[in-house]
Amino acid sequence: MDEIYTRFGIDAKDANGVIATRVYDIHKPLDLYYRLIGLELQDFTYYLDDMKLSVEKIKNEMLERDLDAFNFLLSNDYEYAHRIDIRYPYLLNNSVFISIYSLLEDVLYRFIEICKYRLKIEETLKENRKLPILTQYFNIIEKALNYKIPKNFKNDFSDYGKLRNCIVRKRGYITWMGESDKKLIKVVEDLSDKSISLSENGKSFILGEEACNYFILEIEKMFKLLCEVLIKEETKKRSLSSSSKRYIT
């Protein structure tokens, strides 16, 4: 049975094509994932698709009017063509990337609060402000769930955080005042398989067409895993609590 997750419930279609809508069950990992962050990640995915289609439509309309619209030497309005072809994708990818990263930080914090509530964790989970905020959140979640988050997630999100800071503080330039940030260059190289690359002059990095989609996919994988771990830990604690009560009785 196919299921479509929406803000109004989960639409399930049976073999006969009949659709029934059910409410979210936060004790099911996938339901919890969509309630927590999945629906918002879907919004970003659809937004990226729609904006790319809009830009492509404008480009096609320009080419219908002038086959040389994107030729620097022959175009009568190359300034606009350059804006559509280069600047719009750059602005779209960078702004969406920063928004996705903001969502990641926010939902990790909310996930910590959910863990504390559902696992009945009474002690205060202290943060270490000397560490990057994502590292702090991961440490707290690991302690709450008694679980080690896979290293590849922590490494990739640490790299994404460095790119985010570079965009916010230096507009993506890795060469600043004549000096190149070798650590950031290494980050770009490590994420080269995720549609991220150095610019032609090597002074900045570029988020390719699929960079934000790769970022979304990575977040999706991690939160689906964390939701499964949380529910398993919650079930285990509930089972131990029930056994303890029976023993006392």
Side-chain angles (χ1 to χ4, degrees), residues 12 15 36 43 46 61 87 95 141 145 158 176 195 227:
L36 184 65
D43 288 344
Y46 293 144
E61 290 173 350
R87 292 299 297 169
S95 60
I141 290 170
L145 297 180
S158 174
W176 199 254
S195 194
C227 288

Side-chain angles (χ1 to χ4, degrees), residues 88-100:
Y88 279 14
Y90 168 85
L91 294 171
L92 173 65
N93 292 331
N94 280 25
S95 60
V96 170
F97 180 86
I98 291 170
S99 296
I100 295 171

Side-chain angles (χ1 to χ4, degrees), residues 100-192:
I100 295 171
Y101 192 88
S102 176
L103 175 68
L104 172 63
E105 285 192 347
D106 173 56
V107 178
L108 278 173
Y109 178 81
R110 288 194 283 127
F111 185 76
I112 291 170
E113 295 302 308
I114 290 171
C115 288
K116 289 166 66 176
Y117 174 76
R118 292 181 62 159
L119 300 176
K120 295 180 173 55
I121 298 172
E122 296 179 357
E123 69 270 16
T124 302
L125 300 173
K126 295 182 180 179
E127 298 179 7
N128 182 351
R129 299 190 181 277
K130 294 181 181 180
L131 297 174
I133 192 66
L134 284 193
T135 301
Q136 294 178 46
Y137 288 166
F138 287 145
N139 289 345
I140 293 171
I141 290 170
E142 287 181 334
K143 182 178 179 182
L145 297 180
N146 191 29
Y147 171 80
K148 282 291 183 183
I149 296 170
K151 194 173 182 180
N152 63 295
F153 287 128
K154 292 193 283 189
N155 288 343
D156 282 352
F157 289 129
S158 174
D159 285 347
Y160 279 127
K162 291 168 186 172
L163 295 185
R164 176 265 180 195
N165 292 340
C166 184
I167 292 173
V168 171
R169 297 167 186 169
K170 298 179 180 179
R171 294 196 302 151
Y173 286 104
I174 58 177
T175 297
W176 199 254
M177 303 296 287
E179 294 187 10
S180 297
D181 188 331
K182 294 181 180 179
K183 291 183 179 179
L184 200 51
I185 291 174
K186 178 65 165 57
V187 166
V188 174
E189 291 173 349
D190 289 343
L191 294 174
S192 61

Side-chain angles (χ1 to χ4, degrees), residues 51-100:
M51 292 304 102
K52 288 173 185 176
L53 284 173
S54 295
V55 169
E56 197 63 30
K57 181 180 178 182
I58 295 173
K59 290 171 71 173
N60 289 334
E61 290 173 350
M62 291 180 68
L63 288 171
E64 287 177 3
R65 294 193 302 268
D66 179 7
L67 290 175
D68 297 314
F70 297 94
N71 187 310
F72 175 73
L73 296 176
L74 302 177
S75 175
N76 293 322
D77 191 9
Y78 185 72
E79 172 70 19
Y80 182 59
H82 179 270
R83 187 180 301 131
I84 295 297
D85 194 33
I86 305 298
R87 292 299 297 169
Y88 279 14
Y90 168 85
L91 294 171
L92 173 65
N93 292 331
N94 280 25
S95 60
V96 170
F97 180 86
I98 291 170
S99 296
I100 295 171

